[in-house]
Amino acid sequence: MKDLRELLPDYALGLLEGEEKDRLEQALQSSPELRRELTEIREVLYRLPKNLPPVVPPPRVWEQIRRRTFPKRNFLPWAAALLVLLGLGVGSWGVGLYRQYQALAQEQAKLARWLADPEVKWQPIKNSEGQSFGTMLWREEGPCLMVLREPPPPGRVYQAWGRKNGEEPVSLGVFSGRVFETDYEGFDFMGVSLEPPGGSPQPTEPLGRVPTS
Amino acid sequence: MLNRGVEPDIALMSRLAQGDERALEELYRRYSPSLYALLLRMLQSREEAEEILQDSFVQLHREAARYQPERGGVTAFLFTIGRNLALSRLRSRKARSQKLEDHDLHNPDQELGLWRQDDPTDRILVSRALHRLEPTDRRLLEEAFFDGYSHSELAERHHLPLGTVKTRLRRALLKLREYLGGPEVSEEA
Protein backbone atom coordinates (compact mmCIF):
# COMPACT_ATOMS: atom_id res chain seq x y z
CA MET A 1 0.00 0.00 0.00
CA LYS A 2 2.84 2.35 0.84
CA ASP A 3 4.33 2.34 -2.66
CA LEU A 4 0.89 2.88 -4.15
CA ARG A 5 0.36 5.93 -1.96
CA GLU A 6 3.56 7.37 -3.39
CA LEU A 7 2.06 7.16 -6.86
CA LEU A 8 -0.93 9.33 -5.94
CA PRO A 9 0.67 12.76 -6.62
CA ASP A 10 1.78 11.65 -10.09
CA TYR A 11 -1.64 10.15 -10.74
CA ALA A 12 -3.37 13.37 -9.71
CA LEU A 13 -1.06 15.33 -12.02
CA GLY A 14 -1.87 12.99 -14.92
CA LEU A 15 1.73 11.80 -15.13
CA LEU A 16 1.17 8.14 -14.42
CA GLU A 17 1.04 5.68 -17.30
CA GLY A 18 1.02 2.00 -18.15
CA GLU A 19 1.25 -0.73 -15.57
CA GLU A 20 1.64 1.62 -12.59
CA LYS A 21 -1.48 3.50 -13.52
CA ASP A 22 -3.49 0.30 -13.97
CA ARG A 23 -2.28 -1.04 -10.63
CA LEU A 24 -3.19 2.15 -8.80
CA GLU A 25 -6.62 2.43 -10.42
CA GLN A 26 -7.36 -1.15 -9.43
CA ALA A 27 -6.30 -0.46 -5.85
CA LEU A 28 -8.39 2.73 -5.76
CA GLN A 29 -11.49 0.66 -6.46
CA SER A 30 -11.09 -1.28 -3.24
CA SER A 31 -9.30 1.13 -0.91
CA PRO A 32 -11.28 3.96 0.72
CA GLU A 33 -8.03 5.10 2.32
CA LEU A 34 -6.31 5.61 -1.05
CA ARG A 35 -9.40 7.30 -2.47
CA ARG A 36 -9.53 9.68 0.47
CA GLU A 37 -5.89 10.60 0.03
CA LEU A 38 -6.32 11.10 -3.71
CA THR A 39 -9.28 13.37 -2.99
CA GLU A 40 -7.16 15.43 -0.60
CA ILE A 41 -4.33 15.74 -3.12
CA ARG A 42 -6.74 16.78 -5.88
CA GLU A 43 -8.35 19.38 -3.65
CA VAL A 44 -4.90 20.91 -3.10
CA LEU A 45 -3.87 20.60 -6.73
CA TYR A 46 -6.97 22.34 -8.02
CA ARG A 47 -6.36 25.29 -5.79
CA LEU A 48 -3.38 26.13 -8.02
CA PRO A 49 -5.58 27.84 -10.65
CA LYS A 50 -6.66 30.23 -7.87
CA ASN A 51 -3.28 31.80 -8.45
CA LEU A 52 -4.47 32.96 -11.91
CA PRO A 53 -6.70 36.00 -12.36
CA PRO A 54 -10.10 34.74 -13.55
CA VAL A 55 -11.20 35.60 -17.10
CA VAL A 56 -14.86 35.70 -18.06
CA PRO A 57 -15.31 33.74 -21.30
CA PRO A 58 -17.13 35.28 -24.29
CA PRO A 59 -20.93 34.75 -24.28
CA ARG A 60 -20.74 32.46 -27.32
CA VAL A 61 -19.21 29.68 -25.18
CA TRP A 62 -22.28 29.42 -22.94
CA GLU A 63 -24.58 29.62 -25.96
CA GLN A 64 -22.80 26.63 -27.50
CA ILE A 65 -22.88 24.67 -24.23
CA ARG A 66 -26.60 25.26 -23.87
CA ARG A 67 -27.22 24.15 -27.43
CA ARG A 68 -25.25 20.96 -26.85
CA THR A 69 -26.72 20.10 -23.45
CA PHE A 70 -30.35 21.19 -23.74
CA PRO A 71 -30.99 21.23 -27.50
CA LYS A 72 -34.78 20.87 -27.49
CA ARG A 73 -35.32 23.82 -25.23
CA ASN A 74 -33.08 25.92 -27.39
CA PHE A 75 -35.36 25.71 -30.37
CA LEU A 76 -38.23 27.51 -28.67
CA PRO A 77 -36.58 30.88 -28.07
CA TRP A 78 -35.19 30.78 -31.56
CA ALA A 79 -38.57 30.06 -33.02
CA ALA A 80 -40.05 32.90 -30.98
CA ALA A 81 -37.30 35.30 -32.03
CA LEU A 82 -37.71 34.39 -35.66
CA LEU A 83 -41.46 34.80 -35.42
CA VAL A 84 -40.88 38.38 -34.36
CA LEU A 85 -38.05 39.03 -36.73
CA LEU A 86 -39.66 37.58 -39.77
CA GLY A 87 -43.14 38.79 -38.97
CA LEU A 88 -44.62 35.32 -39.05
CA GLY A 89 -46.92 35.60 -36.09
CA VAL A 90 -49.57 33.23 -37.35
CA GLY A 91 -49.79 29.67 -36.12
CA SER A 92 -50.35 28.22 -39.57
CA TRP A 93 -46.84 29.29 -40.48
CA GLY A 94 -45.39 26.95 -37.87
CA VAL A 95 -44.26 24.18 -40.20
CA GLY A 96 -42.83 26.63 -42.70
CA LEU A 97 -41.09 28.43 -39.89
CA TYR A 98 -39.36 25.26 -38.82
CA ARG A 99 -38.04 24.76 -42.36
CA GLN A 100 -36.88 28.34 -42.38
CA TYR A 101 -35.21 27.78 -39.05
CA GLN A 102 -33.18 24.95 -40.51
CA ALA A 103 -32.31 26.92 -43.62
CA LEU A 104 -31.20 29.83 -41.49
CA ALA A 105 -28.92 27.71 -39.35
CA GLN A 106 -25.75 29.41 -40.54
CA GLU A 107 -27.20 32.86 -40.03
CA GLN A 108 -28.31 32.11 -36.50
CA ALA A 109 -24.93 32.73 -35.00
CA LYS A 110 -25.01 36.27 -36.29
CA LEU A 111 -28.60 36.76 -35.19
CA ALA A 112 -27.83 35.26 -31.79
CA ARG A 113 -25.13 37.82 -31.15
CA TRP A 114 -27.56 40.60 -31.95
CA LEU A 115 -30.45 39.17 -30.00
CA ALA A 116 -28.29 38.64 -26.96
CA ASP A 117 -27.66 42.37 -26.75
CA PRO A 118 -30.35 44.09 -24.66
CA GLU A 119 -29.47 47.46 -26.25
CA VAL A 120 -30.51 46.35 -29.73
CA LYS A 121 -33.61 48.03 -31.22
CA TRP A 122 -35.60 46.90 -34.22
CA GLN A 123 -38.30 47.94 -36.67
CA PRO A 124 -39.96 46.36 -39.71
CA ILE A 125 -38.75 47.08 -43.24
CA LYS A 126 -41.90 47.85 -45.26
CA ASN A 127 -42.66 48.05 -48.96
CA SER A 128 -44.56 50.91 -50.62
CA GLU A 129 -47.87 49.23 -49.67
CA GLY A 130 -46.89 49.28 -46.03
CA GLN A 131 -46.34 45.52 -45.80
CA SER A 132 -43.44 44.26 -43.79
CA PHE A 133 -40.93 42.07 -45.64
CA GLY A 134 -38.14 42.08 -43.09
CA THR A 135 -36.69 43.65 -40.00
CA MET A 136 -33.80 45.96 -39.32
CA LEU A 137 -32.02 45.63 -35.99
CA TRP A 138 -29.65 48.34 -34.93
CA ARG A 139 -27.47 49.66 -32.16
CA GLU A 140 -27.18 53.34 -31.30
CA GLU A 141 -23.52 53.48 -32.22
CA GLY A 142 -24.12 52.62 -35.89
CA PRO A 143 -24.07 48.91 -36.77
CA CYS A 144 -27.25 47.35 -38.07
CA LEU A 145 -28.52 43.99 -39.24
CA MET A 146 -31.09 43.52 -42.01
CA VAL A 147 -33.16 40.35 -41.68
CA LEU A 148 -35.42 39.62 -44.66
CA ARG A 149 -38.35 37.22 -44.63
CA GLU A 150 -37.46 35.42 -47.84
CA PRO A 151 -34.23 34.81 -49.72
CA PRO A 152 -34.00 36.59 -53.10
CA PRO A 153 -35.58 34.80 -56.11
CA PRO A 154 -33.28 32.57 -58.17
CA GLY A 155 -30.84 34.58 -60.26
CA ARG A 156 -31.30 37.75 -58.20
CA VAL A 157 -29.56 39.23 -55.17
CA TYR A 158 -30.49 41.74 -52.54
CA GLN A 159 -28.59 45.01 -52.43
CA ALA A 160 -28.47 47.21 -49.34
CA TRP A 161 -28.48 51.00 -49.68
CA GLY A 162 -27.91 54.00 -47.46
CA ARG A 163 -29.33 57.38 -48.41
CA LYS A 164 -29.04 60.91 -47.13
CA ASN A 165 -31.93 63.32 -47.67
CA GLY A 166 -31.64 64.93 -51.11
CA GLU A 167 -28.73 62.71 -52.22
CA GLU A 168 -28.30 59.60 -54.35
CA PRO A 169 -28.37 56.24 -52.58
CA VAL A 170 -25.02 54.66 -51.73
CA SER A 171 -24.54 50.91 -52.18
CA LEU A 172 -23.60 49.10 -48.97
CA GLY A 173 -23.20 45.68 -50.55
CA VAL A 174 -25.08 42.74 -52.05
CA PHE A 175 -26.22 39.54 -50.35
CA SER A 176 -27.94 36.36 -51.43
CA GLY A 177 -29.12 35.16 -48.02
CA ARG A 178 -31.61 36.77 -45.68
CA VAL A 179 -29.26 38.46 -43.26
CA PHE A 180 -26.91 41.35 -43.95
CA GLU A 181 -24.78 43.27 -41.46
CA THR A 182 -23.75 46.83 -42.22
CA ASP A 183 -23.64 50.33 -40.73
CA TYR A 184 -26.33 53.01 -40.90
CA GLU A 185 -24.31 55.90 -39.49
CA GLY A 186 -24.45 59.02 -41.67
CA PHE A 187 -27.61 57.98 -43.54
CA ASP A 188 -31.20 59.15 -43.14
CA PHE A 189 -32.68 56.00 -44.69
CA MET A 190 -31.62 52.40 -45.13
CA GLY A 191 -33.13 50.44 -48.00
CA VAL A 192 -33.10 47.13 -49.85
CA SER A 193 -33.55 46.43 -53.56
CA LEU A 194 -33.59 43.36 -55.80
CA GLU A 195 -30.80 43.35 -58.35
CA PRO A 196 -29.05 41.10 -60.88
CA PRO A 197 -26.02 39.19 -59.56
CA GLY A 198 -23.20 41.54 -58.63
CA GLY A 199 -25.60 44.41 -57.90
CA SER A 200 -26.26 47.71 -59.68
CA PRO A 201 -24.86 51.25 -59.43
CA GLN A 202 -28.35 52.50 -58.51
CA PRO A 203 -31.40 50.56 -57.22
CA THR A 204 -33.39 49.09 -60.13
CA GLU A 205 -36.14 47.34 -58.12
CA PRO A 206 -36.44 49.00 -54.70
CA LEU A 207 -38.30 46.90 -52.13
CA GLY A 208 -38.55 49.24 -49.19
CA ARG A 209 -36.70 51.39 -46.72
CA VAL A 210 -36.42 52.31 -43.07
CA PRO A 211 -35.76 55.77 -41.61
CA THR A 212 -32.76 55.77 -39.31
CA SER A 213 -34.11 58.35 -36.87
CA MET B 1 -16.29 30.89 -0.40
CA LEU B 2 -20.05 31.01 -0.80
CA ASN B 3 -22.24 33.49 0.95
CA ARG B 4 -24.91 32.33 3.31
CA GLY B 5 -28.09 31.54 1.40
CA VAL B 6 -26.28 30.64 -1.83
CA GLU B 7 -27.14 27.18 -3.09
CA PRO B 8 -24.24 24.77 -2.44
CA ASP B 9 -22.41 23.23 -5.40
CA ILE B 10 -23.50 19.75 -4.35
CA ALA B 11 -27.16 20.73 -4.53
CA LEU B 12 -26.57 22.21 -7.98
CA MET B 13 -24.95 18.97 -9.12
CA SER B 14 -27.94 17.05 -7.83
CA ARG B 15 -30.31 19.30 -9.76
CA LEU B 16 -28.10 19.05 -12.83
CA ALA B 17 -28.23 15.24 -12.63
CA GLN B 18 -32.02 15.61 -12.86
CA GLY B 19 -31.69 17.69 -16.02
CA ASP B 20 -32.02 21.19 -14.60
CA GLU B 21 -30.50 23.63 -17.09
CA ARG B 22 -30.42 26.46 -14.55
CA ALA B 23 -28.15 24.41 -12.30
CA LEU B 24 -25.63 24.09 -15.14
CA GLU B 25 -25.93 27.80 -15.84
CA GLU B 26 -25.19 28.63 -12.22
CA LEU B 27 -22.18 26.29 -12.12
CA TYR B 28 -20.95 27.88 -15.33
CA ARG B 29 -21.38 31.34 -13.83
CA ARG B 30 -19.41 30.31 -10.75
CA TYR B 31 -16.54 28.38 -12.31
CA SER B 32 -16.12 29.25 -15.98
CA PRO B 33 -13.88 32.30 -15.33
CA SER B 34 -11.35 30.34 -13.28
CA LEU B 35 -11.49 27.26 -15.51
CA TYR B 36 -11.14 29.44 -18.61
CA ALA B 37 -8.12 31.15 -17.04
CA LEU B 38 -6.57 27.72 -16.40
CA LEU B 39 -7.25 26.57 -19.97
CA LEU B 40 -5.83 29.76 -21.45
CA ARG B 41 -2.74 29.26 -19.32
CA MET B 42 -2.39 25.63 -20.37
CA LEU B 43 -3.25 25.86 -24.06
CA GLN B 44 -2.03 29.39 -24.89
CA SER B 45 -4.82 29.60 -27.45
CA ARG B 46 -8.14 31.36 -27.04
CA GLU B 47 -9.85 29.22 -29.64
CA GLU B 48 -8.79 25.95 -28.06
CA ALA B 49 -9.46 27.20 -24.54
CA GLU B 50 -13.02 28.09 -25.55
CA GLU B 51 -13.47 24.71 -27.19
CA ILE B 52 -12.20 22.78 -24.17
CA LEU B 53 -14.21 24.95 -21.79
CA GLN B 54 -17.29 24.07 -23.79
CA ASP B 55 -16.42 20.35 -23.77
CA SER B 56 -15.75 20.46 -20.03
CA PHE B 57 -19.21 21.73 -19.15
CA VAL B 58 -20.86 19.36 -21.62
CA GLN B 59 -19.01 16.51 -19.91
CA LEU B 60 -19.95 17.87 -16.47
CA HIS B 61 -23.58 17.74 -17.57
CA ARG B 62 -23.17 14.21 -18.90
CA GLU B 63 -21.41 12.92 -15.76
CA ALA B 64 -23.43 14.81 -13.14
CA ALA B 65 -25.29 11.66 -12.11
CA ARG B 66 -21.96 9.91 -11.44
CA TYR B 67 -20.67 12.66 -9.19
CA GLN B 68 -20.02 11.50 -5.62
CA PRO B 69 -19.47 14.30 -3.09
CA GLU B 70 -17.46 12.06 -0.79
CA ARG B 71 -14.84 11.77 -3.57
CA GLY B 72 -14.16 15.50 -3.66
CA GLY B 73 -15.66 18.89 -4.31
CA VAL B 74 -17.34 20.01 -7.50
CA THR B 75 -14.42 22.31 -8.31
CA ALA B 76 -11.93 19.45 -8.29
CA PHE B 77 -14.39 17.29 -10.29
CA LEU B 78 -14.89 19.96 -12.95
CA PHE B 79 -11.26 21.04 -13.08
CA THR B 80 -10.10 17.44 -13.38
CA ILE B 81 -12.35 17.09 -16.44
CA GLY B 82 -11.10 20.34 -17.96
CA ARG B 83 -7.44 19.75 -17.24
CA ASN B 84 -7.54 16.18 -18.57
CA LEU B 85 -9.12 17.41 -21.81
CA ALA B 86 -6.49 20.13 -22.09
CA LEU B 87 -3.69 17.64 -21.39
CA SER B 88 -4.95 15.38 -24.18
CA ARG B 89 -4.96 18.36 -26.51
CA LEU B 90 -1.45 19.39 -25.50
CA ARG B 91 -0.12 15.88 -25.99
CA SER B 92 -1.71 15.55 -29.42
CA ARG B 93 0.16 18.61 -30.62
CA LYS B 94 3.43 18.15 -32.40
CA ALA B 95 4.93 21.29 -30.95
CA ARG B 96 3.96 23.52 -28.09
CA SER B 97 2.59 26.96 -28.85
CA GLN B 98 4.52 30.07 -28.14
CA LYS B 99 3.43 31.55 -24.86
CA LEU B 100 0.88 34.33 -25.20
CA GLU B 101 1.60 37.52 -23.39
CA ASP B 102 -0.44 38.09 -20.26
CA HIS B 103 -1.91 41.30 -21.60
CA ASP B 104 -3.17 39.39 -24.62
CA LEU B 105 -4.91 36.89 -22.41
CA HIS B 106 -6.56 39.43 -20.21
CA ASN B 107 -7.33 42.26 -22.57
CA PRO B 108 -11.10 42.80 -22.46
CA ASP B 109 -10.96 44.34 -25.93
CA GLN B 110 -10.05 40.96 -27.38
CA GLU B 111 -13.41 39.29 -26.82
CA LEU B 112 -12.28 37.71 -23.63
CA GLY B 113 -15.04 39.23 -21.59
CA LEU B 114 -14.70 41.35 -18.53
CA TRP B 115 -12.48 40.98 -15.55
CA ARG B 116 -14.16 39.52 -12.54
CA GLN B 117 -12.96 40.73 -9.20
CA ASP B 118 -12.86 37.70 -6.92
CA ASP B 119 -12.13 37.38 -3.28
CA PRO B 120 -8.30 37.42 -3.36
CA THR B 121 -7.84 35.49 -0.10
CA ASP B 122 -7.40 32.11 -1.71
CA ARG B 123 -5.10 33.55 -4.35
CA ILE B 124 -2.88 35.02 -1.65
CA LEU B 125 -2.83 31.74 0.27
CA VAL B 126 -1.93 29.73 -2.82
CA SER B 127 0.68 32.23 -3.91
CA ARG B 128 2.33 32.21 -0.49
CA ALA B 129 2.25 28.44 -0.27
CA LEU B 130 3.86 28.16 -3.71
CA HIS B 131 6.60 30.58 -2.74
CA ARG B 132 7.42 28.55 0.33
CA LEU B 133 8.39 25.65 -1.94
CA GLU B 134 11.97 25.22 -3.00
CA PRO B 135 12.20 27.20 -6.31
CA THR B 136 13.03 24.23 -8.53
CA ASP B 137 10.27 22.16 -6.92
CA ARG B 138 7.81 24.99 -7.54
CA ARG B 139 8.78 25.29 -11.19
CA LEU B 140 8.52 21.53 -11.68
CA LEU B 141 5.07 21.50 -10.12
CA GLU B 142 3.85 24.48 -12.13
CA GLU B 143 5.22 23.11 -15.39
CA ALA B 144 3.67 19.70 -14.73
CA PHE B 145 0.32 21.15 -13.72
CA PHE B 146 -0.09 24.11 -16.08
CA ASP B 147 2.02 23.06 -19.05
CA GLY B 148 1.41 19.33 -18.90
CA TYR B 149 5.08 18.40 -19.18
CA SER B 150 5.81 14.73 -18.57
CA HIS B 151 8.49 13.45 -16.20
CA SER B 152 10.95 12.97 -19.05
CA GLU B 153 10.28 16.40 -20.53
CA LEU B 154 10.81 17.99 -17.13
CA ALA B 155 14.03 16.03 -16.65
CA GLU B 156 15.32 17.34 -19.96
CA ARG B 157 14.24 20.92 -19.35
CA HIS B 158 15.81 21.08 -15.89
CA HIS B 159 18.81 18.82 -16.56
CA LEU B 160 17.80 16.53 -13.72
CA PRO B 161 17.72 12.72 -13.51
CA LEU B 162 14.26 11.26 -14.06
CA GLY B 163 14.08 9.81 -10.55
CA THR B 164 14.93 13.20 -9.03
CA VAL B 165 12.12 14.86 -10.98
CA LYS B 166 9.63 12.31 -9.68
CA THR B 167 10.83 12.70 -6.11
CA ARG B 168 10.80 16.49 -6.24
CA LEU B 169 7.33 16.61 -7.79
CA ARG B 170 5.87 14.37 -5.10
CA ARG B 171 7.62 16.38 -2.44
CA ALA B 172 6.33 19.66 -3.87
CA LEU B 173 2.75 18.50 -3.96
CA LEU B 174 2.83 17.04 -0.46
CA LYS B 175 4.47 20.19 0.88
CA LEU B 176 1.83 22.29 -0.82
CA ARG B 177 -0.85 20.17 0.85
CA GLU B 178 0.84 20.72 4.17
CA TYR B 179 1.15 24.49 3.64
CA LEU B 180 -2.38 24.95 2.38
CA GLY B 181 -3.97 22.62 4.86
CA GLY B 182 -2.02 23.62 7.98
CA PRO B 183 -2.81 26.41 10.41
CA GLU B 184 0.56 28.09 9.80
CA VAL B 185 -0.36 29.28 6.29
CA SER B 186 -3.76 30.51 7.40
CA GLU B 187 -2.18 32.56 10.14
CA GLU B 188 0.23 34.13 7.71
CA ALA B 189 -2.59 35.23 5.43
Side-chain angles (χ1 to χ4, degrees):
Chain A
M1 186 67 78
K2 191 187 170 190
D3 64 323
L4 285 172
R5 280 186 65 209
E6 287 179 358
L7 296 177
L8 288 172
D10 285 345
Y11 183 72
L13 278 164
L15 295 175
L16 214 55
E17 290 176 332
E19 188 264 335
E20 280 186 324
K21 185 180 178 186
D22 294 343
R23 200 156 54 95
L24 180 60
E25 285 183 338
Q26 204 167 8
L28 280 166
Q29 297 288 331
S30 58
S31 168
E33 191 186 330
L34 277 177
R35 284 202 300 270
R36 190 167 50 249
E37 185 152 356
L38 177 62
T39 299
E40 283 176 22
I41 289 172
R42 277 193 173 140
E43 293 292 332
V44 169
L45 199 57
Y46 286 101
R47 286 178 74 180
L48 285 178
K50 295 276 183 186
N51 206 27
L52 302 170
V55 185
V56 177
R60 59 178 170 263
V61 179
W62 170 245
E63 285 162 17
Q64 288 294 330
I65 291 167
R66 193 160 55 179
R67 274 189 206 122
R68 289 173 63 185
T69 50
F70 296 94
K72 286 179 185 169
R73 294 183 62 182
N74 283 336
F75 171 72
L76 295 175
W78 270 112
L82 286 170
L83 273 171
V84 172
L85 287 171
L86 303 175
L88 301 174
V90 186
S92 60
W93 285 88
V95 174
L97 176 65
Y98 180 70
R99 292 198 188 104
Q100 287 180 9
Y101 163 78
Q102 287 184 313
L104 282 170
Q106 289 187 339
E107 294 167 343
Q108 282 185 356
K110 190 172 282 183
L111 267 172
R113 283 201 301 276
W114 279 81
L115 291 171
D117 185 345
E119 300 299 316
V120 162
K121 297 172 181 172
W122 64 276
Q123 62 174 302
I125 309 174
K126 294 180 178 176
N127 62 19
S128 54
E129 284 84 43
Q131 288 180 316
S132 164
F133 64 92
T135 305
M136 189 174 97
L137 294 87
W138 78 92
R139 295 193 184 101
E140 285 297 337
E141 63 268 31
C144 63
L145 189 75
M146 290 174 161
V147 185
L148 302 187
R149 186 180 295 175
E150 300 290 345
R156 308 293 296 278
V157 293
Y158 288 128
Q159 190 162 2
W161 305 89
R163 186 172 193 173
K164 281 186 181 176
N165 278 326
E167 292 185 20
E168 293 292 318
V170 175
S171 174
L172 300 172
V174 297
F175 56 108
S176 53
R178 302 180 209 204
V179 172
F180 183 69
E181 197 166 16
T182 181
D183 201 306
Y184 70 84
E185 199 172 25
F187 297 113
D188 297 309
F189 294 95
M190 297 291 287
V192 182
S193 68
L194 261 183
E195 303 296 342
S200 306
Q202 290 297 314
T204 57
E205 193 177 333
L207 297 175
R209 65 182 190 176
V210 177
T212 60
S213 57
Chain B
M1 187 69 69
L2 297 176
N3 297 324
R4 192 176 296 173
V6 174
E7 189 170 9
D9 289 349
I10 292 173
L12 288 172
M13 285 297 279
S14 172
R15 281 172 46 202
L16 180 58
Q18 291 162 24
D20 188 334
E21 181 181 341
R22 286 182 184 279
L24 183 63
E25 192 169 4
E26 176 58 19
L27 288 165
Y28 182 82
R29 192 191 64 76
R30 285 182 192 176
Y31 297 116
S32 63
S34 46
L35 181 54
Y36 187 44
L38 171 66
L39 297 172
L40 284 168
R41 170 70 179 78
M42 290 181 74
L43 296 163
Q44 301 292 318
S45 153
R46 287 178 202 87
E47 194 181 332
E48 287 183 295
E50 282 183 27
E51 190 187 324
I52 300 292
L53 182 65
Q54 206 187 106
D55 291 346
S56 303
F57 277 90
V58 170
Q59 195 168 327
L60 182 76
H61 167 250
R62 206 163 43 226
E63 296 189 5
R66 286 181 43 219
Y67 171 68
Q68 296 173 284
E70 63 275 16
R71 292 201 177 186
V74 174
T75 318
F77 186 70
L78 171 65
F79 277 59
T80 302
I81 291 172
R83 184 171 172 274
N84 285 343
L85 290 171
L87 280 181
S88 300
R89 179 62 61 92
L90 281 174
R91 287 167 187 169
S92 68
R93 284 181 190 166
K94 285 183 180 173
R96 287 177 186 274
S97 302
Q98 291 297 306
K99 186 174 179 179
L100 291 175
E101 295 299 327
D102 285 347
H103 64 81
D104 281 337
L105 290 179
H106 299 137
N107 186 339
D109 294 336
Q110 296 179 13
E111 290 195 347
L112 285 176
L114 302 170
W115 278 91
R116 198 181 72 162
Q117 198 59 47
D118 275 13
D119 178 358
T121 313
D122 214 19
R123 194 177 311 158
I124 293 167
L125 283 175
V126 173
S127 176
R128 287 187 181 185
L130 278 171
H131 282 87
R132 288 180 70 184
L133 297 176
E134 200 275 317
T136 304
D137 290 6
R138 185 177 76 239
R139 279 197 297 277
L140 287 170
L141 181 61
E142 287 179 332
E143 288 177 16
F145 182 78
F146 290 116
D147 302 313
Y149 284 116
S150 66
H151 287 134
S152 53
E153 286 173 315
L154 290 170
E156 194 178 323
R157 286 171 64 81
H158 291 270
H159 310 291
L160 290 169
L162 195 61
T164 306
V165 167
K166 290 182 179 181
T167 306
R168 279 176 172 262
L169 262 180
R170 284 179 207 138
R171 184 174 69 189
L173 192 46
L174 296 176
K175 280 280 179 194
L176 195 67
R177 179 168 67 162
E178 183 188 325
Y179 297 154
L180 284 171
E184 200 178 349
V185 174
S186 302
E187 280 165 15
E188 279 184 15

